[in-house]
Amino acid sequence: MQNTLKYAILSLSAIGTISAIILYFIAQKFKVEEDPRIDAVEEALPSANCGGCGYPGCRNFAEACVNASDLSGLYCPAGGSETMQNVARILGLEAGEQIPMIAVVRCSGSLENRPKTTIYDSAKTCLIASTVYSGDTGCEYGCLGLGDCVVSCLFDAIHINENTFLPEVDQNKCTACNACVKSCPKNIIELRKKGLKDRRVFVSCINKEKGGIAKISCKVACIGCMKCQKECPFDAISVENFLAYIDFEKCKLCRKCVSVCPTSAILETNFPPKKIAELNKETVNPSENKNINSDIEKDPNG
Amino acid sequence: MNNKLLKVSLSPHLSGKESVKSIMYGVVIALVPAFIAGLYFFGIGALRVTVTAVVACVLFEYVIQKYLLKVKPTISDGSAIITGLLLAYNVPSNISAGIIILGSLVAIGIAKMSFGGLGNNPFNPALVGRVFLLISFPVDMTSWPKPIVTRASVIDAVTAATPLAIVKEGLAGGTPYSILLTQIPSYWDMFLGNVGGCIGEVSALALIIGLFYMLYKKIITWHIPISMTGSIFIFTGIMWLINPQANADPVFHILTGGVLLGAIFMATDMVTSPMTPKGMLIFGSAIGILTVIIRVYGAYPEGVSFSILIMNAFVPIINRFCKPKRFGEIIK
Amino acid sequence: MAKVLKTFPIGGVHPCDNKLSASKQIEPVVLPATVTIPLSQHIGAPATPIVKPLDIVKVGQLIAKASGFVSANIHSSVSGTVKKIDNVPDTCGYKRPAIIIDVEDDVWENSIDRTDSLLKEISLSQKDIVEKVQESGIVGLGGATFPTHVKLSVPKGKTCEYLLINGVECEPYLTSDHRLMLEKTEEIFVGIKIVMKALGVSKAIIGIENNKKDAIDKMSAISNNYDGISVQALKVQYPQGGEKQLAKALINREIPAPPGLPIDVGCVIQNVGTIYAIYEAVQKNKPLFERVVTITGRSIKNSSNFLARIGTSISVLIDASGGLPGDTGKIISGGPMMGKALNTTDIPVSKGTSGILILPEQISSRTNISNCIRCAKCVSVCPLGLEPYLLSKLSLRSLFDKAESEQVVNCIECGCCSYNCPSKIPLLDFIRLGKTTVMKNIRNRTK
């Protein structure tokens, strides 16, 4: 008994030692020389592997950063400028300045604004639904509400509102990685400038129909009336195919367009409530909150 | 425009009558003859074990789905009933209720629900439960009550070895097969089920009735049962022809133990068997060969459960390499 | 006549055939007030309009010219004034250009022979036939709407041995081809002769499923008068009307995977409806502007077979057969297995509309999906020998390269897998997604 135990312990330790030696030499022999800064940079990145930077994963991006002579073309949308500052510090380079962006859903076709005309009864993905037909409402451009963008988001930043059936972006979580933009078969989601204090003004519609037809299918459709274009003092609004578009580079967030839009197609976010005097003056006062709240009473199934 | 909204979906707009439920209850119906046979030969004990197993399986599935996984329970689809029935068919009729409940927990909890429920389990749940019990409680699992005489009582102490065990021990001890044949029940008794063994496996007749029902209802195809019994028959037949005194004959091998129960109900389990006819044939024959190897050379007298579980593990690989013949592949 | 019923060997399902309108004669439908003629009624480039608003058109007048080889001419189906050329929703709801004509009277082009007489003599030469077919804007009327003149022009290096005629009509409910075979039997035989001449083949086989015994009997009796044309009864099995299945069943040859075509195995396949249209174009000088449309469904009052002008709104046809039932859940253009669900009744009849099927609420809904139980029933019914469960899973997970190596492009979208799935998984929805993506990938690669 004693002997068995002794031999067992001895042989096992012998095997262990020999294996350790072999492993050590193999590890030495096949060692790959790598810039240690790659690891350091990777450490600094959020390791979400979202692909928003244009590289397949965070490590590839780290390699690209290390190999680059300057960081101007490289930007990690998930980490933002702070992360890029850290990366720059590790590499001793200047961080490229980039305006923070955010994903914006350009459709306000809630159940109330855009009544259903048919019931969709197939696989619940936008991509498949969009190959079958134009959608379960009269608007062939609008959101299908089946949530391909929600599935694509790695940061849990986009969700379908249960009352409106429209996706909503969580501005604190969105990293502007572009995944939802790519996933939307109707190209409704756009990356826009995040704006100072998260203030944004944008046309929440991509309907290219003539005004009359667009209005029939959706109450808040852009009808291409050109009023906003005439109103804009900064020449930021262009109207093409009966659809207005606000250039976020030129827009100074003056909100004049919002007040003239006859269909409330232009939305503003995170602005302080208007003064009462101004409210009385204006006949139309659209705001994102108003659109959403008005639908809460609605039964989701119509 | 009518006020009701039209539905829009992709084609096809019709669907067949068959559903998961209809398939599962079809299997349950096919299992009924074996239950009647078990009841006839082992009496109330068989009823007790079967009811315990079925109730335990359904209950465990319900509890796990409702409280652990927090999903809508799907016990109505009948798959838990099948697991319960098959588990009960694979144990002796005098086993204690505690053991069978433990077996049900292993079958449903570990082998089925932990993999994601119906359709996702790589191994046949009932067999996992059975093998777990066989390893944990070898004595309880292998003391078979004698048929007929025990019909009135619930638990009977009179036990008998199965023909398989008798033959295996006898052959290992050097007794010629022709002498051993006189110690075991006749083939006719084995065909009807008048032998010691697990509740569901004894009656070949009842199992074959179930097989024909399932074939008629197109629940299963012939591939697995035929290839499995066929390979056992051929393999043991060759051995028997080489040395008739040291090996049991092929008919004996097919009629005894769990071969028919395994070939008809266990190996054909849709979830854990290959998808293509070619794959099914490979799967069935491999089970047959493994069974014979375990029976003849292994430590256990019976090897069907182990062989099926081993081959279950190979199903993904079989599916990967056995593709159906694609249309238009060979250009004439 | 004890013939062995042929069929295709692998896969297939057998849904209840529900041929409700099989005994109803083809009847013309009243002219609507306006017609909407889409410019894209065929596979290929949309036609270019050659009329402008306020133009006066006659029945049979060319109103849009084919743009390219794989495209088709479009003729006016009514006489009247062109109202406008506008974008109107197509069967998918997307806006597509169409010519809208206000109907006035029924004035036909003088060149069209409107008599019922049967013209057996084929005077045109081989080349002229193909040209005539191209001029008349004939497309495959079985539903695929592939321009017929393309099929009739055998590419260099290929030979055509057989002409196969599709009289299978394997889709449940539809009866337009069946009625055509019964009522225009001789015309179809002359049409087959015309196509045989155009292709230069000596053998033609008409495949008819065994649930149309009257058509088989009538066609077989007449086939004795025509050299080289035989009738083959086929076992009832869906999707026998698919080109690949029909060729396999009739001449036991397998058309290779796309881009393989029937001509690769020496045959050309035409639908009986197309054959009749060719007869009319070549012998009667009548371009394709009307077709037989079956209006059917268990809930509808009179299931009927209408001879409808292209561009007639389907609501007109539905009204003519007793109106839209109150419990309608789904309106399908085509058969229940491969047809397209419509989102409104305001859709014009086009060249590819073989039938309109009205399904009541309760059978139109899809049932709840449960887990895949790996029963392999989808594998056993796939007529192409594919593994639908695998393809749908791969598409769902966006593993398109793997799906390509599993030959997803071979799928003919017959729907047998979804039909037969006991778990009611919409397998074909996902496979279709995979197929379109893979096709796109392949196209991008070859570019």
Side-chain angles (χ1 to χ4, degrees), chain B residues 286-305:
Chain B
I287 292 174
I289 292 167
L290 279 175
T291 303
V292 179
I293 291 174
I294 294 174
R295 276 188 178 183
V296 176
Y297 304 105
Y300 284 94
E302 175 60 304
V304 176
S305 316

Side-chain angles (χ1 to χ4, degrees), chain C residues 96 108 141 153 367:
Chain C
R96 298 262 187 275
W108 290 45
L141 295 185
S153 328
T367 30

